[in-house]
């Protein structure tokens, strides 16, 4: 049986009454021969006083009423009189309409307040719109002038975008469901068949008006946001031409006609080409060829774009609106190749210049890192530390004091060509081993200072030539280890460091010892490689074994190899740093709270950023971590906690700052919004990634 495409349907049996769709708005001069259910002046639910009947249709009746408690006009929609067996189903439909519609709050969408009941009859209270629906307006005056039609079209796009932003499919967009109020503002009305996108299942019964359904809806019942965009194209077609694009007598005729929609310019002369392109893009038979969103449709229309209009109205644009703003176009191959070549040239320049600026290249390594590790272990064995270590670590460090002191004494020392002659060397190799497993406090990698100075750890510093420049050990003397009762022979320390014993004179040790020792000594003299630079050497021993050794300038006090006690200036700086951090965190929390209250937070974008940062942060830890120090799974749990913290902090800052940037400078977020939306192949995203 063929059905009229103009009939409203909502998945049901033929024997059940039609309840979906908009009621028919009454003409002011129209006098119905059927009696009104409620006469003007009637008070319902001790709150609403009936003023007049606004419309009557398959969904029942809509009355204008006054809310006696709030003193505001409202519209009340009543269910039709139906058999008792269908009453429960229709009441569920009203509950669903209210549940879905209350999620949308936008100036171009009619607000739905609540559901009520009077004398056993359910009704929905909603915003009263004093105006005329678009269908009756077009029947009365024909098409709208292009300038006015553009204003209506942009508002209609913004309203539909707000509906889609809440994950809702309208499913019945048509002129009779679009109101134009007394101020010329568009209001989308009637959420009778609207549903959350996640609740719409494939193969569900048809819902809406066939004449305004997309081809995929008529063919299989498939409904997506692209289906609403097809309906939007049909409404825009009528808006600009005053005619329906398809004049079909049956559903089958409609399906055939949808493959080749007539061009609007065939009906209206001098129609703007951008308008026709936007309409025809919405009416594409293939959903994938339609615009990405309602904002994209608004962006295609001439005049004030959706983004500009939203900003002009003092509102914060939606993230999807920002993503659809601006140019779409394509990335010119020449520009893409030029950006790629510039990146490659930049990387090559970094590699070339690194040899001229990196200290590791300016101070040549006479021994590779593996040989330096063996040299450090050999030094420890020479000093009597020949126990098998449980864990070990090594790396390179920079002695900034040596650089600064050398430059202050001799300007020639500031030239890179002379750095390899400084003693101690500005570049040093460190090696640490421990009789127990070394667990870093930072949860990642063992460094020169992490873990801090603990029992059982020995640290050796070597210059690039393998000469000893520092030594520190807290490894206890184990039972059976040979110890000396007399004063130790300090000359092995000088031999390991490449210093001539005869050039140094014993002096009184200064300052506190680096670690506990029962014998201490100090010397001052000159380096054999560069006799004009004086050095001070200090050493300590415990039970005949060396426990620390250090060389440096004579006027500089002995400093430990491990972490030093923070100075007053550092304490003040740390206090200011953490104070500003927590103050900024509190301010960010306040901004997030305000943004959430005003509905400005890009929740989807913030969640995607968090989900990207979390595995990236954990992966970064996994690549940096010293697996020889893992031991138990505590470090992994701590790393996961730190990843959650930093990812959560990124989420917090994004939710606090992004809405304000989107409100004030949305243009700078266009490519970023497209990237977060997953549009990785977008030319603008590719361009900015290559450039930035």
């Amino acid at each position: 049986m063929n059905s009229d495409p103009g009939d409203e349907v909502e998945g049901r049996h033929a024997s059940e009454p039609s309840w979906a769709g908009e009621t028919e708005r009454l003409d002011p001069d129209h006098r119905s021969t059927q009696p009104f259910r409620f006469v003007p002046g009637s008070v319902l639910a001790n709150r609403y006083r009936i003023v007049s009947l606004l419309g009557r249709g398959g969904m029942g009746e809509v009355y204008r009423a006054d809310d006696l408690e709030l003193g505001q006009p409202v519209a009340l929609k009543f269910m039709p009189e139906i058999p008792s067996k269908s009453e429960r189903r229709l009441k569920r439909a009203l509950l669903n309409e209210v549940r879905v519609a209350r999620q949308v709050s936008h100036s171009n969408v009619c607000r739905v307040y609540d559901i009520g009941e009077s004398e056993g009859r359910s009704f929905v209270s909603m915003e009263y719109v004093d105006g005329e629906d678009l269908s009756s307006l077009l029947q009365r005056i024909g098409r709208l002038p292009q300038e006015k039609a553009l204003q209506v079209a942009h508002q209609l796009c913004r309203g539909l975008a707000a509906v889609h932003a809440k994950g809702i499919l309208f499913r019945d967009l048509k002129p009779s469901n679009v109101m134009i109020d007394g101020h010329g503002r568009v209001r989308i009305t009637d959420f009778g068949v609207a549903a959350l996108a996640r609740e719409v299942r494939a193969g569900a019964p048809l819902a809406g008006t066939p004449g305004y359904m997309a081809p995929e809806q008529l063919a299989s019942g498939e409904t997506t946001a692209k289906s609403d965009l097809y309906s939007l194209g049909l409404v825009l077609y009528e808006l600009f031409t005053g005619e329906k694009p398809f004049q079909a007598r049956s559903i089958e005729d409609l399906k055939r006609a949808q493959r080749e929609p007539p061009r609007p310019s065939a009906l209206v002369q001098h129609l703007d080409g951008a308008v026709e392109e936007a309409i025809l893009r919405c009416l594409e038979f293939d959903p994938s060829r339609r615009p990405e969103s309602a904002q994209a449709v608004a962006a295609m229309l001439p005049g004030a774009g959706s983004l500009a209009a939203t900003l002009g109205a003092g509102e914060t644009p939606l993230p999807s609106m920002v993503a659809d703003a601006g140019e779409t176009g394509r990335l010119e191959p020449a520009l893409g190749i030029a950006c790629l070549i510039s990146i490659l040239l930049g990387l090559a320049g970094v590699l070339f210049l690194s040899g001229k600026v990196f200290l590791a290249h300016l101070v040549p390594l006479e021994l590779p890192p593996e040989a330096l590790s063996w040299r450090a272990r050999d030094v420890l064995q020479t000093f009597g530390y020949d126990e098998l270590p449980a864990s070990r670590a090594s790396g390179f460090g920079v002695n900034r004091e040596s650089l600064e002191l050398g430059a202050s004494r001799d300007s020639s020392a500031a030239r890179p060509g002379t750095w390899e002659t400084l003693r101690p060397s500005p570049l040093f190799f460190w090696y640490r081993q421990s009789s127990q497993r070394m667990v870093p406090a930072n949860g990642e990698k063992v460094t020169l200072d992490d873990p801090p100075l603990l029992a059982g750890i020995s640290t050796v510093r070597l210059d690039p030539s393998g000469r000893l420049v520092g030594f520190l050990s807290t490894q206890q003397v184990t039972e059976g280890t040979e110890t000396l009762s007399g004063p130790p022979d300090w000359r092995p320390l000088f031999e390991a460091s490449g210093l001539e014993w005869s050039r140094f004179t014993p002096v009184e040790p200064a300052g506190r010892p680096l670690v506990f020792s029962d014998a201490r000594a100090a010397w001052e003299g000159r380096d054999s490689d560069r006799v004009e630079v004086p050095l001070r050497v200090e050493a300590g021993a415990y039970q005949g074994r060396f426990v620390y050794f250090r060389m440096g300038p004579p006027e500089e006090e002995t400093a430990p190899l491990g972490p030093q006690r923070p100075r007053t200036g550092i304490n003040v700086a740390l206090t200011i740093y953490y104070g500003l951090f927590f103050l900024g965190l509190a301010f960010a929390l306040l901004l997030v709270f305000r943004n959430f209250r005003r509905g400005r937070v890009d929740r989807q974008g913030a969640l995607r950023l968090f989900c990207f940062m979390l595995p990236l942060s954990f992966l970064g830890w996994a690549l940096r971590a010293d697996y020889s120090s893992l031991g138990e799974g505590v470090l992994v749990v701590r790393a996961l906690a730190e990843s959650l913290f930093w990812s959560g902090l990124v989420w917090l800052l994004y939710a606090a700052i992004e809405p304000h940037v989107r409100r004030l400078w949305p243009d700078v977020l266009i490519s970023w919004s497209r990237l977060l939306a997953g549009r990785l192949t977008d030319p603008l995203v590719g361009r900015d990634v290559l450039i930035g």
Side-chain angles (χ1 to χ4, degrees):
M1 179 182 68
N2 293 333
S3 58
D4 190 338
D7 294 338
E8 298 161 345
V9 298
E10 207 284 338
R12 56 187 173 86
H13 297 292
S15 59
E16 294 177 343
S18 173
W19 54 269
E22 177 64 62
T23 57
E24 180 183 357
R25 182 168 287 268
L26 297 179
D27 185 274
D29 298 328
H30 174 75
R31 298 185 181 275
S32 175
T33 58
Q34 300 180 3
F36 293 169
R37 188 178 302 176
F38 302 103
V39 297
S42 303
V43 177
L44 308 180
N46 296 322
R47 178 173 180 175
Y48 302 105
R49 182 170 57 204
I50 300 297
V51 176
S52 62
L53 177 67
L54 295 177
R56 172 185 288 155
M59 191 56 190
E61 297 174 339
V62 178
Y63 289 85
R64 175 184 173 182
D66 290 330
D67 188 333
L68 301 179
E69 291 187 9
L70 300 180
Q72 295 178 342
V74 295
L76 304 180
K77 181 164 68 172
F78 286 85
M79 295 168 54
E81 295 184 3
I82 55 175
S84 58
K85 65 178 182 179
S86 300
E87 183 176 354
R88 182 175 300 177
R89 185 177 70 86
L90 297 185
K91 187 173 182 178
R92 285 200 306 268
L94 283 183
L95 287 171
N96 179 74
E97 178 178 354
V98 175
R99 178 177 66 92
V100 172
R102 286 184 63 173
Q103 300 185 43
V104 183
S105 177
H106 193 270
S107 58
N108 296 121
V109 179
C110 181
R111 295 293 306 274
V112 174
Y113 300 139
D114 204 352
I115 188 170
E117 189 171 326
S118 177
E119 300 178 1
R121 313 182 78 167
S122 299
F123 63 88
V124 172
S125 60
M126 64 186 70
E127 179 184 8
Y128 170 66
V129 181
D130 182 16
E132 184 177 9
D133 67 72
L134 186 59
S135 177
S136 61
L137 177 63
L138 293 176
Q139 290 179 4
R140 183 166 54 86
I141 68 172
R143 66 181 178 88
L144 271 64
Q146 182 167 296
E147 182 178 355
K148 180 61 178 178
L150 283 172
Q151 296 177 9
V152 173
H154 281 296
Q155 295 183 54
L156 185 58
C157 290
R158 291 201 295 272
L160 184 59
V163 173
H164 287 171
K166 296 299 182 179
I168 298 173
L169 302 179
F170 194 75
R171 302 203 296 179
D172 197 23
L173 186 63
K174 56 185 179 181
S176 59
N177 284 346
V178 178
M179 293 290 299
I180 309 295
D181 65 15
H183 300 283
R185 186 167 54 182
V186 171
R187 303 292 186 88
I188 299 177
T189 65
D190 194 357
F191 283 76
V193 296
L196 296 175
R198 65 174 182 269
E199 298 177 356
V200 177
R201 300 291 182 263
L206 290 179
T209 305
Y212 292 90
M213 287 183 180
E216 63 272 14
Q217 285 179 278
L218 292 175
S220 61
E222 178 186 358
T223 307
T224 63
K226 295 291 187 76
S227 306
D228 282 347
L229 294 184
Y230 189 92
S231 303
L232 173 64
L234 294 175
V235 175
L236 295 180
Y237 195 103
E238 292 189 48
L239 182 66
F240 284 93
T241 67
E243 301 286 343
K244 294 182 179 181
F246 308 122
Q247 304 296 332
R249 295 180 176 272
S250 66
I251 298 295
E252 296 303 322
D253 291 342
L254 178 61
K255 290 180 179 179
R256 286 190 293 268
Q258 285 178 332
R259 292 188 174 275
E260 295 184 6
R263 303 187 70 86
S265 57
L267 301 175
V268 178
Q269 294 181 353
H270 309 299
L271 181 66
D272 193 298
V275 173
E276 183 174 59
E277 176 66 19
I279 294 175
L280 294 179
R281 282 285 305 280
C282 290
L283 298 182
E284 286 282 357
F285 190 85
D286 183 0
S288 64
R289 297 177 60 86
R290 297 171 199 159
E292 292 294 329
S293 63
Q295 293 95 341
V297 178
M300 297 174 64
L301 295 172
S306 179
L307 181 61
T310 302
L311 295 174
E315 299 179 2
T316 301
L318 297 171
S320 55
M321 186 181 298
V322 175
D324 291 325
E327 58 182 355
T328 54
R330 65 188 185 93
L331 179 62
E332 294 294 336
L335 178 60
I337 294 174
C339 291
L340 182 59
I341 292 176
S342 65
I343 292 175
L344 297 177
L345 291 177
L347 292 176
V350 169
L351 293 176
F352 174 76
L353 294 176
S354 64
K356 299 182 178 298
V357 297
F358 286 177
L359 187 62
H361 296 289
L362 299 176
V363 181
L365 292 178
E366 298 184 18
L367 297 175
E370 295 80 5
L372 292 173
S373 295
W374 280 105
R375 170 61 179 161
R377 289 197 290 270
D378 182 64
V379 169
L380 288 174
Q381 290 179 358
T382 303
F383 294 166
Y385 297 91
D386 52 3
E387 298 87 350
L388 185 65
S391 61
R392 59 174 66 98
S394 61
F396 285 92
V398 177
N399 190 335
R400 299 187 181 278
E401 292 79 7
S402 177
L403 276 176
E404 295 171 358
L405 183 62
S408 64
R409 290 185 173 181
D410 185 359
S411 60
S412 64
R415 296 197 302 268
T418 62
W419 284 352
E420 66 271 15
T421 64
L422 293 177
R423 291 295 302 272
S425 173
L427 180 68
F428 64 87
F429 175 84
W430 59 266
Y431 172 86
R432 305 185 79 185
Q433 72 176 31
S434 174
S435 58
Q436 301 175 356
R437 188 176 298 276
M438 290 187 290
V439 179
N442 61 19
E444 294 179 357
K445 196 174 185 64
V446 175
T447 65
L448 179 62
D449 300 324
D450 190 10
L453 196 60
L454 299 173
I457 298 180
S458 298
T459 303
V460 177
R461 287 191 186 187
L462 304 175
D463 66 11
S465 301
R467 296 176 297 188
L468 181 67
V469 295
F471 170 69
L472 182 65
S473 177
T474 57
Q475 188 168 337
Q476 299 176 354
V477 178
T478 58
E479 186 177 353
T481 302
E482 182 180 356
T483 60
L484 300 177
S485 57
D489 181 9
W490 304 105
R491 281 179 293 187
L493 290 173
F494 282 75
E495 294 175 359
S497 61
L499 301 176
E500 294 186 17
W501 175 264
S502 59
R503 290 181 177 273
F504 287 83
T505 303
V507 295
E508 190 68 23
R512 54 186 174 83
L514 302 179
V515 294
F516 179 77
S517 56
D518 55 15
R520 298 177 60 194
W523 303 264
E524 288 187 1
R526 296 187 180 276
D527 184 10
S528 58
D529 292 334
R530 195 169 183 182
V531 295
E532 68 273 14
V533 178
L535 286 175
R536 179 184 177 88
V537 177
E538 292 209 9
Y542 177 70
Q543 295 186 1
R545 285 206 307 185
F546 303 132
V547 291
Y548 73 85
F549 170 81
R550 181 185 181 275
M551 67 168 61
E555 63 270 22
E556 188 175 348
E557 292 187 1
T558 301
L561 294 177
Q564 302 183 32
R565 196 172 194 177
R567 297 186 294 271
T568 302
I570 297 179
N571 286 331
V572 173
L574 289 176
T575 301
I576 296 175
Y577 171 80
Y578 285 110
L580 292 176
F581 175 80
F582 287 109
L583 182 63
L585 186 63
F587 184 65
L589 288 171
L590 177 62
L591 289 180
V592 170
F593 178 74
R594 290 187 59 191
N595 291 337
F596 266 104
R597 287 191 59 184
R598 298 182 179 183
R600 295 177 177 175
V601 176
D602 178 13
R603 301 189 182 189
Q604 186 179 26
L607 179 60
R608 288 183 175 181
L609 189 60
F610 174 85
C611 293
F612 173 78
M613 289 297 300
L614 180 60
L616 187 66
S617 177
F618 190 81
L619 178 62
W621 170 86
L623 295 176
R624 295 190 304 268
D626 188 349
Y627 292 95
S628 64
S629 66
L630 286 179
E632 302 177 0
V634 177
L635 289 179
V636 177
V637 174
R638 183 169 58 184
L640 181 59
E642 290 182 0
S643 300
L644 286 171
F645 171 78
W646 291 113
S647 301
L649 185 62
V650 169
W651 179 94
L652 180 70
L653 294 178
Y654 183 82
I657 299 174
E658 188 270 345
H660 298 280
V661 178
R662 180 163 26 99
R663 182 182 179 88
L664 299 176
W665 308 287
D667 292 341
V668 304
L669 293 179
I670 292 177
S671 59
W672 170 257
S673 300
R674 294 180 183 180
L675 180 64
L676 278 188
R679 294 159 62 174
L680 303 180
T681 59
D682 188 278
L684 191 63
V685 174
R687 184 201 69 183
D688 290 354
V689 168
L690 285 174
I691 293 177

